[in-house]
């Protein structure tokens, strides 16, 4: 079966712009988590969605938001981009929250100039 | 915030040698997992060990867990150049979302 699909894979934005990233989980997986990965901070938890509801949120400013659709696909949005938002954004899915094993997508590499 | 911390940050060994990576965490857990990441790609799940287990094997991988010390180790035996990657430990928080450490960068020289 198809894995976790993230689009776009690469994108370049300028400061002040906004960006939307998309994640399609494995078929049947209803929980989607987002992580930000940077060289200095490692993998930081952004948020988790299940049944179109945000279950948990990491320690990120309100510029970072997300949502999940009825087909379990998820999007995350970053508004008013800052240079420090440059990172690899990883999406992971699991059957349900607490199912423990996460399946990751290849990530979306965001560069903010 | 991160839950686990891997040690060392980087490790370089020759092919055929064993590689040991350590992970320490802060709060009680239900389980601990190890993931692998090839350069700039997504993470791949390697192995899960539950809090009531002390050791687990999967192929060339051996994981130990010491809940009294809040630590775990990942041993890769007879390493290969293809094992070159970053390795992360992950623990579940009280809310069941997974928190990752900063990772150990392993380089296996042919």
């Amino acid at each position: 079966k198809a894995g976790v699909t993230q689009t776009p894979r690469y994108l370049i934005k300028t400061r002040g712009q906004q960006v939307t990233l998309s994640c399609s989980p494995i078929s049947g997986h209803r929980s989607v988590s987002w992580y930000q990965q940077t060289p200095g901070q490692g993998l930081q938890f952004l948020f988790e969605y299940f049944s179109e509801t945000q279950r948990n949120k990491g320690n990120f400013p309100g510029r970072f938001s997300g949502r999940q659709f009825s087909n379990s696909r998820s999007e995350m949005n970053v508004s008013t981009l800052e240079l420090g938002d440059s990172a690899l954004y990883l999406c992971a899915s699991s059957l349900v929250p607490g199912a423990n094993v996460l399946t990751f997508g290849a990530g979306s590499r965001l560069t903010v100039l | 915030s991160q839950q686990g911390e891997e040690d060392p940050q980087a490790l370089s060994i020759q092919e055929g040698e064993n590689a040991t990576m350590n992970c320490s965490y802060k709060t009680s857990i239900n389980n601990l997992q190890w993931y692998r990441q090839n350069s700039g790609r997504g993470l791949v799940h390697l192995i899960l060990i539950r809090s009531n287990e002390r050791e687990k094997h999967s192929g060339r991988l051996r994981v130990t867990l010491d809940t009294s010390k809040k630590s775990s180790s990942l041993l890769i035996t007879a390493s290969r150049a293809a094992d070159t990657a970053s390795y992360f430990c992950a623990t579940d928080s009280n809310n069941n979302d997974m928190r990752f450490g900063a990772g150990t960068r392993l380089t296996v020289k042919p």
Side-chain angles (χ1 to χ4, degrees), chain B residues 7-21 76 79-81 83-87 103-110:
Chain B
D7 170 59
Q9 290 186 344
L11 179 61
S12 181
I13 59 175
Q14 293 294 135
E15 213 166 22
E17 294 181 338
N18 295 341
T20 299
M21 289 158 270
I76 303 174
S79 62
R80 306 165 182 168
D83 294 328
T84 294
S86 291
Y87 292 83
T104 292
R105 175 69 190 169
L106 173 66
T107 302
V108 181
K109 300 174 184 176

Side-chain angles (χ1 to χ4, degrees), chain B residues 14-84:
Chain B
Q14 293 294 135
E15 213 166 22
E17 294 181 338
N18 295 341
T20 299
M21 289 158 270
N22 303 297
C23 168
S24 59
Y25 56 92
K26 298 171 184 173
T27 62
S28 61
I29 59 172
N30 295 315
N31 63 69
L32 184 144
Q33 301 178 52
W34 286 90
Y35 287 78
R36 164 195 167 124
Q37 183 182 37
N38 288 88
S39 181
R41 305 284 294 182
L43 281 71
V44 175
H45 178 260
L46 294 175
I47 194 166
L48 179 153
I49 185 166
R50 303 200 182 280
S51 59
N52 61 353
E53 297 176 310
R54 291 297 167 257
E55 187 171 311
K56 202 160 182 181
H57 298 254
S58 177
R60 294 185 296 114
L61 304 180
R62 172 179 170 252
V63 170
T64 61
L65 178 64
D66 187 334
T67 53
S68 66
K69 295 180 179 178
K70 291 186 169 59
S71 68
S72 172
S73 68
L74 170 67
L75 169 67
I76 303 174
T77 60
S79 62
R80 306 165 182 168
D83 294 328
T84 294

